[in-house]
Amino acid sequence: EVQLVESGGGLVQPGGSLRLSCAASGFTFNNFAMAWVRQAPGKGLEWVSGISKSGSNIHYAGSAKGRFTIFRDNSANTLYLQMNSLRVEDTALYYCVKYTSGTSLGDYWGQGTLVTVSS
Amino acid sequence: QSVLTQPPSASGTPGQTVTISCSGSSSNIGRKTVNWYRQLPGTAPTLLIYTDNLRPSGVPDRFSGSRSGTSASLAISGLQSEDEADYYCAAWDDSLEAWVFGGGTKMTVL
């Protein structure tokens, strides 16, 4: 059974940093691209960043460029999102998401970890 | 303002067929396939349709997708009360080099 378990969310002040983690199990992690998708309270879905199975190909949403870094440790079956210079508008539930074998987004989603940016 | 445009709400009665539209542009839906997701209240989204019209295992054939030009649509036939959820379309955008979502459509079963 595929499982994606996020952690690392919490309350942080504007300008602060957080590192999110996603522990993956139930599939061969290094065979699949992964992504982070967020959802602000009461709002829709927003893709944040994606990374290829080897980690060599990375993309970011405009809102994340220059502030967020996605990376993965295939030996530990873990996906990360390093978030710096956090803003109030980054407040959201952050989902870890697996791509299909055909690199289509989102055949499995974690339950999310909540990031709250507030003073 | 979402890159893909969906109606904010849709509704139907049990047994009815309801369609949700998703409008994009030449840089996304016009050249890339579309996925659809369903999000039940208080839960994570799940994949409903991928690559325009393919259903993951476990998704009933009441759900179907199509794409034409710069638009896509999701059809739900035999509407059921458990279909009350938010539905999102998404596609890769070649200009933005990012996945883009629609704003979501809240489905109400009357």
Side-chain angles (χ1 to χ4, degrees), chain A residues 24-80:
Chain A
S25 61
F27 65 102
T28 305
F29 184 68
N30 60 10
N31 279 354
F32 294 92
M34 299 291 295
W36 291 96
V37 174
R38 70 184 181 183
Q39 186 170 33
K43 302 296 184 182
L45 301 173
E46 181 188 14
W47 178 88
V48 174
S49 180
I51 185 169
S52 62
K53 52 189 178 182
S54 68
S56 61
N57 194 15
I58 288 172
H59 292 97
Y60 296 100
S63 57
K65 276 180 188 171
R67 299 188 302 126
F68 293 3
T69 302
I70 189 172
F71 59 103
R72 62 192 295 164
D73 182 346
N74 285 344
S75 66
N77 294 342
T78 303
L79 175 72
Y80 299 95

Side-chain angles (χ1 to χ4, degrees), chain B residues 17-107:
Chain B
T17 296
V18 180
T19 300
I20 299 172
S21 62
C22 176
S23 177
S25 69
S26 59
S27 63
N28 43 66
I29 295 178
R31 65 178 74 172
K32 297 296 183 181
T33 60
V34 175
N35 290 358
W36 290 90
Y37 308 88
R38 177 169 68 173
Q39 186 174 32
L40 298 170
T43 68
T46 58
L47 183 64
L48 202 56
I49 296 287
Y50 66 103
T51 316
D52 293 337
N53 55 18
L54 301 180
R55 287 185 306 277
S57 61
V59 174
D61 59 7
R62 301 189 296 109
F63 296 91
S64 62
S66 63
R67 179 172 65 103
S68 178
T70 59
S71 294
S73 62
L74 172 72
I76 308 173
S77 62
L79 195 65
Q80 300 177 4
S81 58
E82 54 261 42
D83 296 332
E84 284 208 335
D86 293 325
Y87 293 82
Y88 295 90
C89 60
W92 177 260
D93 189 293
D94 273 345
S95 296
L96 298 173
E97 291 193 322
W99 278 84
V100 292
F101 282 90
T105 298
K106 185 175 186 63
M107 175 66 70

